[in-house]
Amino acid sequence: MAAFLSGRFFVITASVIALLCLLPHVAVLLAAFSGSFDTLEQLSNTVLGRYASATLILVVCVAFGTACLGAGAAWLVTMTDFPGRRLCEIALVIPLAFPAYVLAYAYTHILDHPGIVQTTLRAMFGWGPRDYWFPEIRSIGGAAMMLTLVLYPYVYLLARASFMGQSATTFHAARALGRTPTGAFFSVCLPLARPAIAAGVMLATMETIADFGTVAYFGVQTFATGIYTSWFTLADRAAAAQLALGLLAFALLLAMLERYSRGNVRYNNGRRQEAMVRLQLTGARKWGAMTLCLLPVVLGVVIPVITLTTMAIGSEQDIFSRRYIGFIQNTLTLATIAALLTVAGAIVLGSVHRVKATRLTGAALYIARLGYAVPGGVIAVGLLVPFAAFDNTLDAWMRATFDVSTGLLFTGSIWVLILAYLIRFMAAALGSYEGGISAVSPNMDAAARVLGQGVGGLVRRVHAPIIAPSLFTAALIVFVDVIKELPATLIMRPFNYDTLAVQAYRLASDERLQGAAVPSLMIALLGLVPVVLLCRRVARDNA
């Protein structure tokens, strides 16, 4: 056991994890330049510009929406007092449990031409189909709204933590210099929270360019839908890899621009010597604050749940059938295994870098974080290309040498799919691990090493007990993300191994929205349990 948890084991394991995280990026790069560019040339003359413009517009809209909604709500619940503030503080996290494509199904049922809203308007005013104008939900604007409603909690959680960590001294100084509370917020509090808000917006934008279910259902042509179309409809894997490379470059460009925009500016809140006194809102302001905080919860949780429940009651889907029990088991199995392995990988990578920080271990951490900036479809293409090549090469050699066919050993297996999840969500697990380990003094590490503990003993006896809440949070975040993940699952799942997300997408694609409501509700329910546990941690932080 001691040898198993030795320092060499941790170093080797960390190196393997980093190489696996690097594999899809290298594979996409090689596949993009080794294949023919004929299909890509045709796409560039037809829809490639549309892919780029739609993706860019979607990113800008979601970035602006999540920044305003998340930072504004965080400021109100942290710095002001109004009726229902404690309820709003917790409820604002709940939309994190809902995938954007689930909201898309619900709002299409409500706002589309045959939906209850337009049907009621036509009945009340006697309008015909061409007598009125109504916003089209199946559009870039509709997709941006769905994504904003489920992604703003990333900004909200990080901005809230930043506002809570600020000292009242700077705020009072701004007030003493003549600033109003709103002016002090924009001139002092908001700039100090910029790194946290930028990090949340970056997470939201990465999820936006990775989204497939929402844009595919709304008919918005982005790079994510183009990759899927090239892979399955056009059967051109080289073109899919080339589009994936373009999307990868776009994602990395966003990350570089955000970091460049900060430059060498340093943000230092200092020690929180004086807690911020909440501003007591009165009159219309307190009701306005309560409305602004409850509105995203109503739009992102209450209305979709009521709508999907109504749709599910009238559907022919039986959630207790053996088929649906299989969907639930598959979903929970993938999410549980992926969460455990991803957190374990984060512990190994983080521990190696903490014990012996070198350029190599730093590079391993950087590579492991790249996955969150890469859409699931890109990772799927990047893993399927090398593993399919390996399977075909091995099968050909076995046939020629022993007249035995090995078939597909890796391609289409559950373990390659879990590897895709691990690469995709390793950054989220590393973030939680580093947030917890920062509270562990290096003196504790030195004391444990003096007492003869190796890396394994240090992690098991010192780090794990102290950062257990952070590791639990990391597992919950990965668990929820895997339940909601669609493009990687859709491309890489084994045959006849469908999940709730795949079933919901399949039914919605066939315009069977009532049927899609059942798996959609189950996705939300399964994701809600971990989010409620995260909300309890938020409540404890407030105590």
Side-chain angles (χ1 to χ4, degrees), residues 159-175:
R160 173 185 166 276
S162 178
F163 289 140
M164 289 182 66
Q166 293 180 13
S167 173
T169 305
T170 53
F171 183 80
H172 292 326
R175 294 297 309 278

Side-chain angles (χ1 to χ4, degrees), residues 304-385:
V305 167
I306 294 175
T307 304
L308 292 172
T309 303
T310 305
M311 296 163 61
I313 293 175
S315 69
E316 299 177 354
Q317 307 295 311
D318 182 8
I319 195 63
F320 298 106
S321 66
R322 181 179 299 180
R323 186 162 171 260
Y324 264 94
I325 295 298
F327 295 154
I328 297 172
Q329 289 177 343
N330 294 343
T331 303
L332 292 177
T333 299
L334 290 172
T336 302
I337 296 175
L340 294 176
L341 290 180
T342 304
V343 172
I347 294 173
V348 172
L349 288 168
S351 299
V352 169
H353 185 65
R354 181 179 175 87
V355 172
K356 188 177 181 180
T358 64
R359 290 185 178 180
L360 186 61
T361 58
L365 283 177
Y366 179 79
I367 292 171
R369 287 193 181 95
L370 287 177
Y372 209 80
V374 182
V378 175
I379 294 177
V381 172
L383 289 179
L384 285 178
V385 169

Side-chain angles (χ1 to χ4, degrees), residues 95 103 107 145-146 149 294-305:
L103 266 66
Y107 277 101
M145 185 179 75
M146 302 298 104
L149 287 174
L294 286 178
L295 186 61
V297 180
V298 172
L299 295 176
V301 178
V302 178
I303 292 178
V305 167

Side-chain angles (χ1 to χ4, degrees), residues 87-390:
L87 173 63
C88 293
E89 198 164 22
I90 305 302
L92 282 164
V93 186
I94 297 179
L96 195 63
F98 288 75
Y101 55 81
V102 168
L103 266 66
Y105 304 154
Y107 277 101
T108 297
H109 183 75
I110 298 173
L111 300 177
D112 211 10
H113 187 271
I116 184 173
V117 173
Q118 294 198 51
T119 300
T120 303
L121 289 175
R122 291 194 296 270
M124 288 178 59
F125 299 102
W127 292 338
R130 301 182 181 275
D131 294 338
Y132 68 100
W133 176 86
F134 195 84
E136 178 59 56
I137 186 63
R138 299 195 188 198
S139 61
I140 294 181
M145 185 179 75
M146 302 298 104
L147 289 164
T148 300
L149 287 174
V150 300
L151 295 178
Y152 81 85
Y154 286 119
V155 181
Y156 166 75
L157 287 171
L158 294 175
R160 173 185 166 276
S162 178
F163 289 140
M164 289 182 66
Q166 293 180 13
S167 173
T169 305
T170 53
F171 183 80
H172 292 326
R175 294 297 309 278
L177 293 172
R179 296 283 186 178
T180 63
T182 303
F185 165 70
F186 282 106
S187 62
V188 176
C189 298
L190 191 61
L192 287 175
R194 181 191 170 185
I197 295 173
V201 171
M202 185 56 57
L203 290 174
T205 54
M206 293 307 175
E207 290 290 342
T208 299
I209 64 176
D211 179 78
F212 172 77
T214 309
V215 294
Y217 182 68
F218 278 175
V220 179
Q221 294 183 319
T222 63
F223 272 103
T225 57
I227 292 170
Y228 187 84
T229 301
S230 297
W231 187 277
F232 286 98
T233 305
L234 302 179
D236 192 333
R237 299 188 176 185
Q242 290 155 8
L243 289 174
L245 180 61
L247 188 54
L248 174 61
F250 182 68
L252 295 179
L253 178 63
L254 286 177
M256 292 172 60
L257 287 176
E258 190 279 326
R259 183 175 293 273
Y260 177 77
S261 67
R262 290 193 233 172
N264 295 323
V265 178
R266 294 186 177 182
Y267 299 82
N268 185 10
N269 291 339
R271 295 184 178 179
R272 186 175 180 176
Q273 298 174 349
E274 182 182 352
M276 188 75 72
V277 178
R278 297 184 187 277
L279 301 174
Q280 297 293 327
L281 300 182
T282 58
R285 290 184 177 182
K286 67 180 181 181
W287 301 115
M290 183 179 68
T291 301
L292 289 176
C293 289
L294 286 178
L295 186 61
V297 180
V298 172
L299 295 176
V301 178
V302 178
I303 292 178
V305 167
I306 294 175
T307 304
L308 292 172
T309 303
T310 305
M311 296 163 61
I313 293 175
S315 69
E316 299 177 354
Q317 307 295 311
D318 182 8
I319 195 63
F320 298 106
S321 66
R322 181 179 299 180
R323 186 162 171 260
Y324 264 94
I325 295 298
F327 295 154
I328 297 172
Q329 289 177 343
N330 294 343
T331 303
L332 292 177
T333 299
L334 290 172
T336 302
I337 296 175
L340 294 176
L341 290 180
T342 304
V343 172
I347 294 173
V348 172
L349 288 168
S351 299
V352 169
H353 185 65
R354 181 179 175 87
V355 172
K356 188 177 181 180
T358 64
R359 290 185 178 180
L360 186 61
T361 58
L365 283 177
Y366 179 79
I367 292 171
R369 287 193 181 95
L370 287 177
Y372 209 80
V374 182
V378 175
I379 294 177
V381 172
L383 289 179
L384 285 178
V385 169
F387 280 111
F390 175 81

